[in-house]
Structures are given as structure tokens and as C-alpha cells.
Amino acid sequence: MSVTRSVRPNSTRRSGVSPRLVLASVMAASLAPVGAIALAPAALAQPAEPYPSRVVRLIVPRAPGGLVDVVARGYAQHLAERLGQSVVIDNRPGAGGTVAGEAAMRATPDGHTLFVATQDSQVLTPLLRNRPPYDALRDFTQVSLLFTTPLYLFVHPSVPAQTVKELVALARTRPGKLTYASLGGGSTQHLAAELFRSRLGLDIVHIPYKSTSQALVEQQTGQVDLNFTGGTSHFPFVATGKLRVLASTGLRRSQLHPTVPTLDESGVPGFDMEPWYGLSGPARLPAAIVARLNRETTAILQLPSVRDRFAADGLEPRPTTPAQFDARIRADLPLWSKTMREAGFKPE
């Protein structure tokens, strides 16, 4: 089920033709010869409709309240102000982001439907399908990357492990007993946990959820043991002792949490996974609209207030050109295809 909410610009400015210009046009028409007046309708039909001419829909592949949803709403508020139109958030969680991806793919390519594309929705989940619902390069227009983030490995305090090495030793003595949460098959959380499992030859059980907030609640109460997740939503519960963080998934320690070791330095050499999120639209999005959206997005992500807000969520803004975003996806597809194959993943 999708959830829609509107983010309106703070200002009341609207695009359009000024009354003074309209009056001048009417006066000119009244003085023109009959032949010229006959040509007026055709001439007026030529200019393209200004963009945006109505509410913009931003499809988000996560449930309300999760990390991606929170950041999408912050971005949407700034985008609404810069475009002079309301931006409606359309939450469509499920199937590793492909429910939202299919809705975005089928939208009219006029810039009034946009999509918060994620690494799992565009790369990971399709690679796990025998019949992918779409092709990320063919069926979408890339606008810009938005941000990247490492994942963090959290465990419930009932898990008697203070380090990754202790967790691995525990899992080997309890095959099939430890559980891990994810946002569904093919999600970044699922892939991170499966790569962790396959690299170390562990037997741990997958428990899928529809939202980060739901998985967090379940892990706090001890219903699930492990969770690879990004952002900062889990860290307040580390401070209160309800969760424990063991490692991060990037090759370098996070600047926000420099005391948290990486998996690479915790006994899983070469482990590197930093999910990305970007802005896309349907295929054949007009170049002028792509350029406008890229320009506005770059300006938004460079605002100090936005950078600070993203940092508070554990995210690093990554504005790019459309070509650079496209190149990131092109590089990810063979990389993750090879990684999944070597880890024993089989398309379903």
C-alpha cells in the first residue's frame, strides 16, 4: 500500500505569465490585421509547457519513518521551494525496492514523477531475479546521486559477543540459531548479511521486514539477533544499552563513528559495502528537465544546513552529473553479479 503526503514550498511564488504581459498581448492582438489574428492560435500552441506545471510526485521505496523516507522528505522540501510546486511523497515499500521502481518506470516521462532510486532497487534485487522487472539503464533516466552511507552491524545484548570475532565463534557453535533482519530479499541489508555469512561459512537465518523502523522494534525486543543497517536510527539504542554495534561495512571507519571498527579490520578482509541512493525518473525524460533537476539537486546537496542534516543521519551527500550516476550503475552491475555468483547466490 502506498502512502502519499505533500511537501509544499514555503514561498507562494508561481510560474506563469504576468498579467501585464497578458494585457499587452491582448492589446496587440486587437490592433493586428485579421490574417495575423488567424495565425495566433497556432503560434500560441508552439511554446512548451513550463516545468513543473503541477504537483511533483516523489516515489520512495521505503515505508514512512525509515532512513530513506526521512531524508527524501528533507530533500523534497527544498526541491519544492526551488521548483515553486508542491512535492508529494509516495511511499511504496516492498520487494527490495522494485515495487516502487516499477511504478516509477511506468510513469509519464514529463518530470512530474521522480524516484528515489536505491542500490538494491536498481542493481541488487534485479540481479537476484530470473526475470527482473526492469533494466535500470534502459528503463530509467538518471538525474544525480543523492548520498551514500556505510552499514553497521548491530546485535541485541542477549547475543554474548563483544566483537565480530566473538560473534563468528558464537554462530559456529549455534548453527541455524542466530537470526538477522533485512528489508527483504535483494536489499542491501540482506546482501550485506549474506556476504558476511558466505565469507565466513556461517549458518544464520534471514528474517525479512518491510521497514527499518519495524526491524528496529523487533531487534530491541530480542526477536531478531543481528541487523546490518545504515544511518543513525539504531545508535541512540546503543547509548542506552538496548543494542550493541560491532562494525561498519566500509573499508574506512566512518567519520561520524570513528571508534567503530570496520569488518575489514575485524577479521573479514576486503569487506566493502557502502549503499547509495539517487534521483531518477522514467526513461526518455526530456534533457531540459533532467538538467533543471540536476542543477537544483546539486544546489540543495551543497547547502550547509542540508549537509549537516544528512550528517546527523550518517549520510554523505554525493551530487553527480547524470552521466556519473549512470556510470556508477554500469560499474555496480558486473561487480555485484560477480560477487553474488562467487557467494553462491542464485536468481529466483
Side-chain angles (χ1 to χ4, degrees):
M1 179 180 295
S2 65
V3 179
T4 59
R5 295 180 186 175
S6 177
V7 181
R8 292 186 170 81
N10 289 334
S11 65
T12 57
R13 66 180 186 274
R14 297 177 61 88
S15 61
V17 181
S18 71
R20 188 173 297 175
L21 182 57
V22 172
L23 178 60
S25 300
V26 171
M27 293 177 64
S30 67
L31 297 174
V34 173
I37 294 175
L39 294 175
L44 290 174
Q46 294 306 310
E49 187 179 58
Y51 174 78
S53 60
R54 59 183 185 278
V55 170
V56 174
R57 179 172 61 133
L58 181 61
I59 300 177
V60 179
R62 296 287 190 273
L67 173 64
V68 178
D69 176 70
V70 169
V71 175
R73 290 176 189 279
Y75 166 77
Q77 179 64 57
H78 286 281
L79 185 64
E81 292 170 356
R82 298 186 72 89
L83 294 180
Q85 282 283 0
S86 296
V87 177
V88 171
I89 301 295
D90 186 355
N91 295 94
R92 291 179 180 246
T98 57
V99 170
E102 288 189 78
M105 174 189 68
R106 295 191 182 103
T108 302
D110 60 6
H112 291 91
T113 297
L114 303 173
F115 175 43
V116 178
T118 64
Q119 187 180 45
D120 50 2
S121 73
Q122 305 306 88
V123 176
L124 304 180
T125 302
L127 285 174
L128 289 172
R129 302 281 183 84
N130 278 316
R131 295 183 179 180
Y134 46 72
D135 182 302
L137 297 170
R138 181 194 65 212
D139 297 324
F140 295 88
T141 303
Q142 321 314 334
V143 176
S144 173
L145 272 179
L146 294 176
F147 55 86
T148 61
T149 178
L151 299 178
Y152 298 91
L153 171 56
F154 294 92
V155 298
H156 187 264
S158 64
V159 177
Q162 301 293 326
T163 66
V164 171
K165 289 183 179 179
E166 290 180 3
L167 176 65
V168 171
L170 179 68
R172 285 175 175 159
T173 63
R174 299 182 183 178
K177 299 298 183 182
L178 293 181
T179 58
Y180 71 88
S182 87
L183 294 181
S187 65
T188 52
Q189 295 83 0
H190 178 220
L191 267 294
E194 282 296 294
L195 287 174
F196 176 72
R197 179 198 63 75
S198 64
R199 288 275 184 93
L200 298 166
L202 305 179
D203 181 3
I204 54 180
V205 180
H206 179 209
I207 308 294
Y209 293 92
K210 284 193 173 182
S211 71
T212 300
S213 55
Q214 183 187 18
L216 175 57
V217 170
E218 293 286 290
Q219 191 173 21
Q220 285 182 72
T221 58
Q223 300 302 306
V224 66
D225 299 310
L226 318 177
N227 192 1
F228 282 87
T229 192
T232 59
S233 60
H234 286 45
F235 278 95
F237 301 97
V238 172
T240 60
K242 293 183 178 180
L243 292 176
R244 187 183 305 125
V245 59
L246 301 186
S248 65
T249 62
L251 284 177
R252 294 178 298 176
R253 293 193 181 196
S254 167
Q255 294 182 353
L256 294 173
H257 302 286
T259 62
V260 179
T262 65
L263 281 170
D264 176 66
E265 61 185 299
S266 300
V268 195
F271 198 105
D272 182 18
M273 188 172 190
E274 287 194 298
W276 52 257
Y277 306 91
L279 183 69
S280 297
R284 299 179 300 282
L285 200 60
I289 291 177
V290 174
R292 170 80 186 280
L293 289 169
N294 182 270
R295 184 170 64 250
E296 304 296 4
T297 297
T298 299
I300 289 168
L301 296 181
Q302 290 176 342
L303 291 172
S305 60
V306 171
R307 298 187 73 87
D308 289 344
R309 178 173 181 177
F310 280 165
D313 287 318
L315 306 169
E316 183 174 352
R318 297 277 190 181
T320 65
T321 65
Q324 288 170 332
F325 185 15
D326 188 84
R328 178 64 178 262
I329 297 174
R330 289 182 186 277
D332 265 10
L333 286 167
L335 170 65
W336 281 102
S337 178
K338 179 176 182 291
T339 301
M340 291 177 185
R341 186 171 60 253
E342 291 177 347
F345 284 68
K346 294 181 179 179
E348 300 176 353

